[in-house]
Amino acid sequence: MLKYFSIPGFFNAKLAWSSIPQILAGLPMTIYLTVMAFILATILGMFLTLAQLSHIRVLHWLARAYISFMRGVPMLVVLFIVYFGFGLTAIPAAIISFTIGAAAFVSEVFRSSFLGIDHGQYEAAYSIGLPYRKVMRLIIIPQAFRISIPALGNILLDMFKGTSLAAMITVTEMFMDAKIVAGANQDYMTIYITIAILYWLCCVVLTAGQNQLERYLDYDRKSIHMKMI
Protein backbone atom coordinates (compact mmCIF):
# COMPACT_ATOMS: atom_id res chain seq x y z
CA MET A 1 0.00 0.00 0.00
CA LEU A 2 2.71 2.48 0.98
CA LYS A 3 4.61 1.92 -2.26
CA TYR A 4 1.85 3.75 -4.14
CA PHE A 5 2.67 6.93 -2.20
CA SER A 6 6.39 6.71 -2.92
CA ILE A 7 8.16 8.81 -5.53
CA PRO A 8 11.50 7.24 -6.52
CA GLY A 9 14.43 9.50 -5.69
CA PHE A 10 12.18 11.98 -3.88
CA PHE A 11 9.91 10.41 -1.24
CA ASN A 12 10.05 6.99 0.42
CA ALA A 13 6.63 6.38 1.98
CA LYS A 14 7.74 3.26 3.87
CA LEU A 15 10.63 5.12 5.52
CA ALA A 16 8.37 8.08 6.28
CA TRP A 17 5.80 5.87 8.02
CA SER A 18 8.36 3.92 10.02
CA SER A 19 10.15 7.10 11.14
CA ILE A 20 7.07 8.76 12.65
CA PRO A 21 7.42 7.17 16.14
CA GLN A 22 11.09 8.24 16.31
CA ILE A 23 10.28 11.79 15.27
CA LEU A 24 7.30 12.07 17.63
CA ALA A 25 9.58 11.08 20.51
CA GLY A 26 10.65 14.73 20.46
CA LEU A 27 7.06 16.06 20.58
CA PRO A 28 6.88 16.29 24.40
CA MET A 29 9.96 18.54 24.41
CA THR A 30 8.50 20.66 21.61
CA ILE A 31 5.27 21.07 23.57
CA TYR A 32 7.18 21.83 26.77
CA LEU A 33 9.25 24.57 25.12
CA THR A 34 6.14 26.05 23.49
CA VAL A 35 3.99 26.07 26.62
CA MET A 36 6.67 27.42 28.95
CA ALA A 37 7.80 30.13 26.56
CA PHE A 38 4.24 31.16 25.68
CA ILE A 39 3.15 31.49 29.32
CA LEU A 40 6.24 33.50 30.23
CA ALA A 41 5.97 35.61 27.07
CA THR A 42 2.34 36.41 27.88
CA ILE A 43 3.27 37.57 31.37
CA LEU A 44 6.26 39.60 30.17
CA GLY A 45 4.23 40.96 27.27
CA MET A 46 1.54 42.22 29.65
CA PHE A 47 4.12 44.07 31.74
CA LEU A 48 5.60 45.57 28.57
CA THR A 49 2.15 46.70 27.49
CA LEU A 50 1.49 48.38 30.83
CA ALA A 51 4.89 50.06 30.55
CA GLN A 52 4.05 51.29 27.04
CA LEU A 53 0.74 52.75 28.24
CA SER A 54 2.32 54.24 31.35
CA HIS A 55 2.53 58.00 31.78
CA ILE A 56 6.08 57.54 33.08
CA ARG A 57 8.19 58.45 30.05
CA VAL A 58 11.19 56.35 31.05
CA LEU A 59 9.11 53.16 31.28
CA HIS A 60 7.34 53.97 28.02
CA TRP A 61 10.51 54.51 26.01
CA LEU A 62 12.37 51.57 27.57
CA ALA A 63 9.48 49.27 26.62
CA ARG A 64 9.32 50.72 23.10
CA ALA A 65 13.08 50.30 22.64
CA TYR A 66 12.97 46.69 23.84
CA ILE A 67 10.06 45.83 21.55
CA SER A 68 11.69 47.51 18.57
CA PHE A 69 14.94 45.62 19.14
CA MET A 70 13.38 42.19 19.67
CA ARG A 71 11.10 42.56 16.65
CA GLY A 72 14.07 43.47 14.49
CA VAL A 73 16.50 40.69 15.47
CA PRO A 74 16.17 37.14 14.05
CA MET A 75 15.24 34.56 16.68
CA LEU A 76 18.22 32.41 15.73
CA VAL A 77 20.56 35.31 16.60
CA VAL A 78 18.81 35.78 19.96
CA LEU A 79 19.10 32.04 20.61
CA PHE A 80 22.83 32.03 19.91
CA ILE A 81 23.46 35.14 22.02
CA VAL A 82 21.66 33.65 25.03
CA TYR A 83 23.16 30.18 24.63
CA PHE A 84 26.77 31.02 23.76
CA GLY A 85 26.97 34.46 25.36
CA PHE A 86 25.62 33.60 28.79
CA GLY A 87 26.80 30.01 29.03
CA LEU A 88 23.37 28.56 29.81
CA THR A 89 22.41 24.95 29.21
CA ALA A 90 20.38 24.29 26.08
CA ILE A 91 16.82 24.00 27.39
CA PRO A 92 16.83 27.11 29.67
CA ALA A 93 18.53 29.06 26.87
CA ALA A 94 15.82 28.03 24.43
CA ILE A 95 12.98 28.94 26.81
CA ILE A 96 14.51 32.33 27.65
CA SER A 97 15.17 33.12 23.99
CA PHE A 98 11.69 32.21 22.80
CA THR A 99 10.18 34.09 25.75
CA ILE A 100 11.98 37.39 25.28
CA GLY A 101 11.46 37.26 21.53
CA ALA A 102 7.74 36.45 21.59
CA ALA A 103 7.03 38.89 24.44
CA ALA A 104 7.62 41.81 22.08
CA PHE A 105 4.94 40.57 19.69
CA VAL A 106 2.57 39.65 22.53
CA SER A 107 2.96 43.16 23.93
CA GLU A 108 1.96 44.73 20.63
CA VAL A 109 -1.11 42.48 20.50
CA PHE A 110 -2.12 43.49 24.03
CA ARG A 111 -1.45 47.17 23.31
CA SER A 112 -3.78 47.16 20.31
CA SER A 113 -6.39 45.28 22.38
CA PHE A 114 -6.17 47.82 25.21
CA LEU A 115 -6.54 50.70 22.78
CA GLY A 116 -9.58 48.97 21.28
CA ILE A 117 -11.49 49.20 24.56
CA ASP A 118 -13.80 52.18 24.91
CA HIS A 119 -12.16 54.80 27.13
CA GLY A 120 -15.55 55.38 28.75
CA GLN A 121 -15.14 52.11 30.62
CA TYR A 122 -12.07 53.50 32.37
CA GLU A 123 -13.95 56.64 33.31
CA ALA A 124 -16.99 54.70 34.54
CA ALA A 125 -14.81 52.46 36.71
CA TYR A 126 -12.92 55.41 38.20
CA SER A 127 -16.19 57.26 38.83
CA ILE A 128 -17.38 54.54 41.22
CA GLY A 129 -14.11 54.67 43.12
CA LEU A 130 -12.24 51.66 41.77
CA PRO A 131 -8.43 51.97 42.01
CA TYR A 132 -6.23 51.56 38.94
CA ARG A 133 -5.22 47.98 39.80
CA LYS A 134 -8.82 46.78 40.12
CA VAL A 135 -9.85 48.59 36.97
CA MET A 136 -7.14 46.78 35.03
CA ARG A 137 -7.59 43.38 36.70
CA LEU A 138 -11.39 43.21 36.75
CA ILE A 139 -12.48 45.23 33.73
CA ILE A 140 -9.80 46.01 31.16
CA ILE A 141 -7.49 42.98 31.08
CA PRO A 142 -10.30 40.36 30.72
CA GLN A 143 -11.73 42.27 27.74
CA ALA A 144 -8.30 42.83 26.20
CA PHE A 145 -7.50 39.14 26.54
CA ARG A 146 -10.74 38.15 24.76
CA ILE A 147 -10.00 40.58 21.92
CA SER A 148 -6.43 39.33 21.56
CA ILE A 149 -7.20 35.58 21.33
CA PRO A 150 -6.92 35.32 17.49
CA ALA A 151 -3.60 37.19 17.38
CA LEU A 152 -2.23 35.28 20.37
CA GLY A 153 -3.20 32.06 18.61
CA ASN A 154 -1.05 33.06 15.65
CA ILE A 155 1.87 33.79 17.97
CA LEU A 156 1.42 30.38 19.62
CA LEU A 157 1.54 28.66 16.23
CA ASP A 158 4.69 30.58 15.30
CA MET A 159 6.28 29.62 18.61
CA PHE A 160 5.40 25.95 18.13
CA LYS A 161 7.04 25.94 14.71
CA GLY A 162 9.89 28.14 15.93
CA THR A 163 10.93 25.60 18.55
CA SER A 164 12.60 23.77 15.66
CA LEU A 165 15.39 26.35 16.00
CA ALA A 166 16.25 24.81 19.37
CA ALA A 167 17.81 21.94 17.43
CA MET A 168 20.62 24.38 16.56
CA ILE A 169 21.72 24.35 20.21
CA THR A 170 21.28 20.57 20.63
CA VAL A 171 17.82 20.49 22.22
CA THR A 172 16.30 17.11 21.37
CA GLU A 173 12.89 18.16 20.07
CA MET A 174 10.99 16.99 16.99
CA PHE A 175 13.20 18.57 14.37
CA MET A 176 16.38 17.34 16.02
CA ASP A 177 14.98 13.80 16.05
CA ALA A 178 14.03 14.20 12.39
CA LYS A 179 17.58 15.28 11.53
CA ILE A 180 18.97 12.23 13.34
CA VAL A 181 16.64 9.88 11.44
CA ALA A 182 17.42 11.60 8.13
CA GLY A 183 21.16 11.29 8.72
CA ALA A 184 20.92 7.64 9.71
CA ASN A 185 18.96 6.76 6.56
CA GLN A 186 20.65 9.27 4.23
CA ASP A 187 17.24 10.37 2.96
CA TYR A 188 16.75 13.98 3.99
CA MET A 189 13.93 14.83 1.58
CA THR A 190 11.65 12.06 2.82
CA ILE A 191 12.17 12.92 6.48
CA TYR A 192 11.85 16.66 5.95
CA ILE A 193 8.55 16.15 4.12
CA THR A 194 7.42 13.91 6.97
CA ILE A 195 8.32 16.43 9.67
CA ALA A 196 6.60 19.17 7.66
CA ILE A 197 3.38 17.15 7.63
CA LEU A 198 3.67 16.41 11.36
CA TYR A 199 4.16 20.10 12.19
CA TRP A 200 1.16 20.95 10.02
CA LEU A 201 -1.06 18.37 11.75
CA CYS A 202 -0.02 19.66 15.18
CA CYS A 203 -0.87 23.21 14.09
CA VAL A 204 -4.26 22.01 12.87
CA VAL A 205 -4.95 20.67 16.37
CA LEU A 206 -3.79 23.94 17.98
CA THR A 207 -5.96 25.96 15.60
CA ALA A 208 -8.98 23.80 16.48
CA GLY A 209 -8.29 24.48 20.16
CA GLN A 210 -8.06 28.20 19.49
CA ASN A 211 -11.37 28.19 17.60
CA GLN A 212 -13.02 26.29 20.45
CA LEU A 213 -11.72 28.83 22.99
CA GLU A 214 -13.01 31.72 20.86
CA ARG A 215 -16.46 30.12 20.64
CA TYR A 216 -16.49 29.49 24.40
CA LEU A 217 -15.52 33.07 25.26
CA ASP A 218 -18.04 34.46 22.78
CA TYR A 219 -20.77 32.25 24.27
CA ASP A 220 -19.77 33.34 27.78
CA ARG A 221 -19.94 36.99 26.74
CA LYS A 222 -23.38 36.55 25.18
CA SER A 223 -24.62 34.71 28.30
CA ILE A 224 -23.52 37.57 30.53
CA HIS A 225 -25.15 40.07 28.19
CA MET A 226 -28.46 38.16 28.24
CA LYS A 227 -28.43 38.00 32.05
CA MET A 228 -27.90 41.76 32.22
CA ILE A 229 -30.90 42.27 29.92
Side-chain angles (χ1 to χ4, degrees):
M1 181 65 179
L2 291 175
K3 66 181 180 180
Y4 296 109
F5 294 95
S6 297
I7 303 175
F10 184 78
F11 183 74
N12 185 335
K14 184 177 180 180
L15 172 61
W17 180 258
S18 64
S19 68
I20 290 176
Q22 295 172 272
I23 296 174
L24 289 180
L27 181 59
M29 177 57 69
T30 295
I31 294 174
Y32 174 73
L33 293 176
T34 303
V35 171
M36 289 298 297
F38 184 74
I39 292 173
L40 294 174
T42 301
I43 296 171
L44 178 57
M46 180 60 70
F47 281 113
L48 287 170
T49 299
L50 296 176
Q52 286 191 80
L53 300 177
S54 172
H55 296 296
I56 302 175
R57 288 183 174 272
V58 174
L59 290 178
H60 172 80
W61 289 113
L62 283 175
R64 292 304 303 166
Y66 174 88
I67 291 168
S68 176
F69 180 79
M70 295 309 302
R71 291 176 70 188
V73 178
M75 181 51 61
L76 186 60
V77 176
V78 175
L79 193 63
F80 281 2
I81 289 174
V82 173
Y83 180 62
F84 294 109
F86 293 93
L88 298 176
T89 54
I91 294 176
I95 293 174
I96 291 172
S97 300
F98 297 142
T99 296
I100 62 178
F105 295 92
V106 170
S107 179
E108 287 297 275
V109 168
F110 282 146
R111 184 176 68 86
S112 63
S113 299
F114 273 60
L115 296 176
I117 297 173
D118 186 359
H119 191 70
Q121 296 195 42
Y122 291 89
E123 296 175 351
Y126 290 139
S127 69
I128 61 175
L130 288 179
Y132 175 78
R133 289 184 179 179
K134 284 192 174 182
V135 171
M136 299 303 294
R137 180 168 57 87
L138 300 177
I139 300 173
I140 304 303
I141 291 179
Q143 294 184 72
F145 180 75
R146 180 182 287 112
I147 295 171
S148 64
I149 289 296
L152 289 178
N154 289 334
I155 292 175
L156 178 63
L157 290 180
D158 285 338
M159 291 182 70
F160 181 81
K161 295 180 293 183
T163 55
S164 59
L165 293 174
M168 303 299 293
I169 57 171
T170 71
V171 176
T172 310
E173 41 69 66
M174 276 209 305
F175 187 66
M176 172 62 85
D177 285 343
K179 288 176 63 178
I180 293 172
V181 175
N185 292 275
Q186 289 299 298
D187 190 343
Y188 290 91
M189 184 58 70
T190 293
I191 301 304
Y192 288 161
I193 291 174
T194 304
I195 188 67
I197 294 172
L198 291 175
Y199 271 116
W200 169 62
L201 292 175
C202 289
C203 287
V204 168
V205 174
L206 290 174
T207 301
Q210 174 194 329
N211 293 336
Q212 187 65 31
L213 178 60
E214 288 182 33
R215 283 194 293 269
Y216 172 77
L217 291 176
D218 187 58
Y219 174 79
D220 186 54
R221 179 184 62 81
K222 289 179 180 178
S223 298
I224 293 174
H225 180 69
M226 290 300 294
K227 288 179 182 178
M228 292 177 65
I229 295 176

